[in-house]
Structures are given as structure tokens and as C-alpha cells.
Amino acid sequence: MPVKPGDPLHLVLLGPPGSGKGTQATRLALARGIPSISTGEILRAQQESDTVHGGELSRYLVRGELVPDRLVIEIIRHRLGDPDASSGFILDGFPRTSAQGEALDSMLALLQRPIDLAIYLAISAAALIERLSHRHREDDRPAVVQHRIEIYLAQTAPLIEYYRRGDRLLAIDADRPADQVYDAIVTGLAGRH
Ligand code: ADP
């Protein structure tokens, strides 16, 4: 769907852990004046601050397991209702399962604000392992990283087809320095809109 300059932009970023979603989401959000919404960040913040549910969340996060769909879907439903999201948004780390993708489409259909494009950061296994070995998050230990990649392949990768079928996919070669990836995203977005 064509978007006029200044129209709200609704984007999803897809890609395995370590593909650079967070970096690209932050930069694009700043350039477009829209919020970048990371479920991983929201969940880690809740894990720290919520004494009742924090422990339950930790069990998933530390093991690299996905948090149950109903929980993240509610987090997103709530977050998309915040005033800053009325000008558009970039979702980083959501959806991560087909059920989340469908829930997102239904909530946005009600608002008549569909996802314009899913940007898929495609990256080789070698580059992923190299990048993740330099991060120092609790869930970046090698065994957990391996598990997160397996979960990504089984649960999240099918979403690439979901968006491709709807002609809403922009695939970007993310096996390059961040600046080049960013330029490719901007060019790709301009070509689509
Ligand atoms: P990465 O993209 O590097 O895996 P994130 O910060 O996006 O890092 O996610 C970290 C963890 O947060 C995931 O391993 C998972 O446990 C949880 N998480 C984030 N987003 C979702 C989601 N949409 N559904 C379920 N769990 C999620």
C-alpha cells in the first residue's frame, strides 16, 4: 500500500537474534520520528521491576525460550495505544510467531492501520555467531544463543513467508556493516512507497 510522505509508517523488523534489528530500528525510528518498540527490551525491563511476574519472565528469558503469546500480545496491544504510536511505529522482536503475526494484523485492522512493510534482515550463520560472541547479555551464552537460533528457525522464520505472501516483505542483505544495511533499508523503503 503506497504511503505518502508524512503518513504514519507501520513497520515490522524480522531477523534472527544478532541480525541487527535493534540497531536498525533505533536509527530508522529517529530518522522518521516514530517510536521503535522492542518486546525484548520491554520484557527485560518488566523482569527487573515487576516483583510478582519478574521471576516467571526470567525463566523464559534466561533460557532463550519465547514468552507465551498471550503475554506479549497484550504488551503490544497496550503499547500501541500510547500517544507516540499514533504517528506510526517500528516493531523490533514482534511478531515472533505466526499467532503473534495474526494477532497483530487483527488489532491493526480494527484501527485501520495495517503493517505497511516487514523488513527482513537476512544474515549468514557465520556472521551471526561472530556478532553474538561479542555481546554480553545474560541470554548470549553460546548454548542459549544456539537455542534462540533454533527457536527462531522453527517459530519466527515462517513469518517471512507470511509477509512475502501478502507482498509486504522487504528483504535486506544484513551481512554488511550497519551503515550499509541502513542505506539499503532507506532505499528499499523509498522504492516501495
Ligand atoms: P534477540 O532479537 O537478540 O533474540 P530480543 O531482545 O528481541 O533479542 O529478545 C530477547 C528474549 O525476549 C527472547 O529470547 C524471548 O525470550 C523474549 N521475547 C522477545 N520478544 C518476544 C516475542 N515477541 N514473543 C515471545 N518472546 C519474546
Side-chain angles (χ1 to χ4, degrees):
M1 179 209 292
V3 174
K4 296 194 291 301
D7 268 2
L9 193 57
H10 310 104
L11 300 176
V12 159
L13 272 181
L14 288 178
S19 57
K21 294 190 300 292
T23 306
Q24 301 300 335
T26 307
R27 195 160 162 191
L28 201 56
L30 201 67
R32 294 285 182 142
I34 53 182
S36 142
I37 299 174
S38 155
T39 39
E41 264 175 36
I42 296 173
L43 291 167
R44 280 189 291 278
Q46 287 198 356
Q47 176 194 9
E48 297 294 313
S49 66
D50 185 336
T51 44
V52 184
H53 299 108
E56 191 196 336
L57 277 182
S58 280
R59 287 214 310 273
Y60 297 103
L61 296 175
V62 168
R63 294 183 194 154
E65 301 279 346
L66 293 187
V67 168
D69 284 338
R70 56 171 175 77
L71 220 152
V72 272
I73 290 167
E74 276 322 300
I75 288 177
I76 286 295
R77 192 192 305 281
H78 195 259
R79 180 66 184 85
L80 295 186
D82 285 349
D84 64 340
S86 64
S87 51
F89 48 77
I90 302 173
L91 295 177
D92 161 15
F94 183 95
R96 238 178 168 93
T97 63
S98 298
Q100 292 177 18
E102 284 160 18
L104 178 65
D105 279 344
S106 345
M107 70 178 100
L108 294 178
L110 283 178
L111 303 170
Q112 297 187 302
R113 295 174 54 186
I115 291 296
D116 297 300
L117 214 54
I119 300 169
Y120 165 45
L121 300 183
I123 182 167
S124 66
L128 270 192
I129 289 161
E130 159 67 15
R131 285 185 196 181
L132 288 165
S133 64
H134 296 299
R135 298 206 316 201
H136 298 286
R137 237 165 53 194
E138 195 178 10
D139 58 350
D140 282 336
R141 284 173 290 125
V144 179
V145 165
Q146 181 62 37
H147 189 47
R148 281 163 56 214
I149 291 176
E150 283 160 11
I151 290 180
Y152 167 79
L153 291 173
Q155 311 234 50
T156 310
L159 281 166
I160 296 166
E161 265 321 300
Y162 178 71
Y163 287 106
R164 202 195 307 271
R165 273 200 308 275
D167 195 24
R168 297 187 288 175
L169 193 79
L170 173 67
I172 299 285
D173 169 10
D175 238 356
R176 310 181 267 183
D179 281 351
Q180 289 180 28
V181 174
Y182 180 73
D183 290 346
I185 292 175
V186 170
T187 307
L189 271 176
R192 294 290 295 244
H193 294 307

